Amino acid sequence: MDIIRQLGSSEGIPAEAIRAATADRATVTPLLVDALEKCEPGEVEERGLFFAFHLLGQWREKSAYRPLARFLRRPGVDRILGDAITSTCHRVMANVFDGDPNPIYEVIRDTEADEFLRGRMFDSLVLLAFRGEFDRTELAGFLRASFDELRPRDYSMVWDGWQRAVALLAMDEFEPLVRKAFESGFIDPMVTSFKHFRDDLRRARAGGPLDSWYGSDYEPFGDVIDEMSTWAGFQPKQPAYQAADGWRPDPWSGMPARNPFRDVGRNDPCPCGSGKKFKKCCLGKPEAELRAIAASDDVFEADEFEDFDDIDKPIGDYDPLVEPDPDDWRAADEQQRIDVIERYHRREGIDMGRSGLHATVHAIVENQIAEGDELPIRRTLSRLMAEGLDRHEAIHAIGSVLVGYINDLVRKAKSETSPAPQPGNNAAYFAELEQLTAESWRSG
């Protein structure tokens, strides 16, 4: 396990350990595979396992294919791989592919595996098909069978990966199934739309290159040091930002400010034993302090500080059917807005799927409403309510247009052929809101 500790010993990229491991690849490979197979989270540096996973991909180590597929299905893998789940895992698995798709199939079918990771395994299959390493006829059969067999029969990111594979491989015959998946709510409209699916399908059908916004998504995984050199998590730490008095977020920010690791166990019980959620306790504390807490037997009582939770918070509760006071809403920090929205949905027993994304879109729409007549959002809300939607439904309707608009901006920003969107130019968004009706939203 010394190699894992060496790889995990640095705050940044452990370049020297990576080079040393690469120079002795024949010896190191079985050690890395063994560590990924046998070690439970917490027994070794999770950062070391992160780099071990990617090194095996860089080396295109076929013997690691099945162990890595099993590793991806283990509990807690999201804590080890973090952002790699959506950015590099599929490329690593394509690099180590040994010719048998069943291990990837098993990850996709595993309802206990991370939903984002399951979706990304479809991208592994797409990448292999692009490289001619996987038979398209067999892949078409798997995609067709997946429509009937995939679980859950509800929205999940695994369905997003499925529709993307159908589009990028130009499998026109499955377009009716994709439409049905959208209509059944399997694919979250806050992630993508049927229009975007059809755009990708048309481009693939015409034999054109991938939309440039996909970047390196369908290129082989390369050198670990080069690949990771631009990741924010491996850059020198910057001083914490202190907001000036009176500062409030721009209602047009792409996403409200949140902890960048919000999807990695934020709502889990804190490991220190306080009884609080991780986000309410140790999230963001220095590593040395976390080690000290873990080694201590002096655990805080969960309710010891409960009375202090809502002190000085301008909004203590949220009900989407009742407009919050605009001044109080703007005075709250963005995380509090998201928290009270999530708390409302939990209290009412409303299933939000990916609650963080849902609450974030809610918060952006409420931010825009709070701006009053400066933006047309409040007017749109009033009109939708006059057409028969309640306030909560109207927020969802506006949110669906907002997400589509943001997706379009992201695509254009990443496209080499499209002009970059101009800051403050939201005419297209406003125009779509003018076309939005209660009837179109209900039928959409």
Side-chain angles (χ1 to χ4, degrees):
M1 297 305 173
D2 287 346
I3 181 61
I4 298 298
R5 293 193 178 94
Q6 291 168 19
L7 290 171
S9 62
S10 172
E11 284 292 322
I13 299 172
E16 291 305 315
I18 288 173
R19 294 188 184 103
T22 302
D24 195 16
R25 172 180 162 182
T27 302
V28 171
T29 294
L31 298 177
L32 299 186
V33 171
D34 184 66
L36 289 163
E37 282 266 60
K38 296 182 178 179
C39 291
E40 296 298 326
E43 289 188 4
V44 294
E45 291 283 347
E46 291 179 351
R47 292 168 69 90
L49 293 175
F50 173 93
F51 285 108
F53 176 85
H54 287 91
L55 267 175
L56 292 168
Q58 173 187 321
W59 299 341
R60 297 174 178 258
E61 187 55 58
K62 307 299 183 186
S63 66
Y65 173 57
R66 293 164 195 275
L68 290 190
R70 290 190 290 270
F71 171 72
L72 293 180
R73 298 172 63 188
R74 65 189 282 178
V77 70
D78 54 338
R79 293 186 61 84
I80 295 171
L81 294 180
D83 288 348
I85 281 180
T86 54
S87 58
T88 55
C89 279
H90 64 293
R91 297 166 62 211
V92 167
M93 291 304 292
N95 271 19
V96 300
F97 181 65
D98 69 0
D100 178 8
N102 282 295
I104 291 178
Y105 291 172
E106 289 169 2
V107 178
I108 291 172
R109 292 174 177 141
D110 188 350
T111 57
E112 298 300 314
D114 182 274
E115 64 176 296
F116 290 87
L117 194 154
R118 295 172 67 200
R120 273 314 215 172
M121 288 303 99
F122 279 109
D123 292 305
S124 293
L125 299 176
V126 171
L127 179 50
L128 291 167
F130 283 169
R131 293 182 351 202
E133 297 178 31
F134 188 45
D135 181 69
R136 288 190 178 223
T137 301
E138 179 174 339
L139 180 50
F142 176 69
L143 291 174
R144 176 61 188 85
S146 292
F147 178 77
D148 296 323
E149 298 171 0
L150 270 184
R151 297 294 184 274
R153 310 299 287 181
D154 200 349
Y155 50 72
S156 168
M157 288 304 294
V158 70
W159 287 104
D160 182 55
W162 174 80
Q163 66 82 21
R164 191 165 52 246
V166 170
L168 297 182
L169 295 172
M171 295 186 176
D172 301 74
E173 65 272 28
F174 299 146
E175 181 175 348
L177 297 181
V178 175
R179 179 184 291 277
K180 186 174 181 181
F182 272 99
E183 292 173 349
S184 300
F186 298 169
I187 302 167
D188 193 338
M190 290 189 176
V191 174
T192 192
S193 67
F194 189 67
K195 175 184 178 295
H196 289 146
F197 161 77
R198 296 194 69 186
D199 288 345
D200 284 340
L201 181 64
R202 280 195 295 268
R203 180 185 288 264
R205 187 191 303 132
L210 284 176
D211 194 325
S212 58
W213 85 283
Y214 282 115
S216 61
D217 262 7
Y218 298 97
E219 296 176 3
F221 184 78
D223 179 82
V224 172
I225 296 175
D226 290 343
E227 291 268 359
M228 304 298 168
S229 62
T230 59
W231 282 38
F234 300 125
Q235 305 304 312
K237 290 187 176 180
Q238 301 296 321
Y241 172 72
Q242 298 295 324
D245 289 342
W247 177 88
R248 59 185 174 90
D250 181 352
W252 285 107
S253 60
M255 298 288 275
R258 296 193 68 186
N259 188 298
F261 301 105
R262 61 186 179 276
D263 293 322
V264 188
R266 293 179 68 255
N267 292 313
D268 293 342
C270 186
C272 78
S274 68
K276 288 178 172 285
K277 290 183 179 181
F278 186 39
K279 69 181 180 182
K280 292 281 190 177
C281 193
C282 292
L283 182 63
K285 289 184 178 179
E287 186 175 349
E289 186 175 346
L290 292 178
R291 286 203 188 103
I293 291 172
S296 172
D297 291 328
D298 184 16
V299 178
F300 296 116
E301 291 297 326
D303 58 358
E304 187 172 349
F305 302 106
E306 196 69 28
D307 293 339
F308 296 93
D309 280 353
D310 293 322
I311 288 180
D312 295 329
K313 290 185 178 180
I315 50 174
D317 206 352
Y318 174 74
D319 183 344
L321 299 175
V322 179
E323 181 175 353
D325 180 89
D327 292 334
D328 288 348
W329 185 263
R330 290 195 297 257
D333 66 63
E334 206 66 20
Q335 186 58 60
Q336 189 204 355
R337 301 173 193 175
I338 292 168
D339 286 346
V340 295
I341 291 168
E342 288 184 324
R343 188 159 62 235
Y344 165 81
H345 286 82
R346 284 195 302 270
R347 184 175 68 243
E348 297 299 316
I350 300 172
D351 181 10
M352 295 193 298
R354 287 166 300 288
S355 62
L357 174 61
H358 188 107
T360 295
V361 174
H362 246 276
I364 296 175
V365 174
E366 289 284 15
N367 291 351
Q368 296 174 351
I369 294 169
E371 293 299 305
D373 294 335
E374 293 181 25
L375 302 174
I377 318 305
R378 181 187 292 275
R379 184 172 66 251
T380 302
L381 180 81
S382 298
R383 176 171 55 78
L384 293 173
M385 292 173 66
E387 294 173 4
L389 298 185
D390 65 32
R391 190 175 186 277
H392 195 182
E393 292 171 330
I395 288 174
H396 283 188
I398 294 170
S400 68
V401 174
L402 173 67
V403 170
Y405 175 69
I406 291 174
N407 282 339
D408 285 339
L409 287 184
V410 170
R411 284 173 175 256
K412 289 177 182 177
K414 292 184 177 181
S415 172
E416 296 175 357
T417 59
S418 299
Q422 298 300 310
N425 182 11
N426 301 295
Y429 174 49
F430 297 156
E432 286 191 54
L433 288 179
E434 289 297 325
Q435 298 300 314
L436 177 66
T437 66
E439 182 180 359
S440 67
W441 178 72
R442 284 176 172 140
S443 63

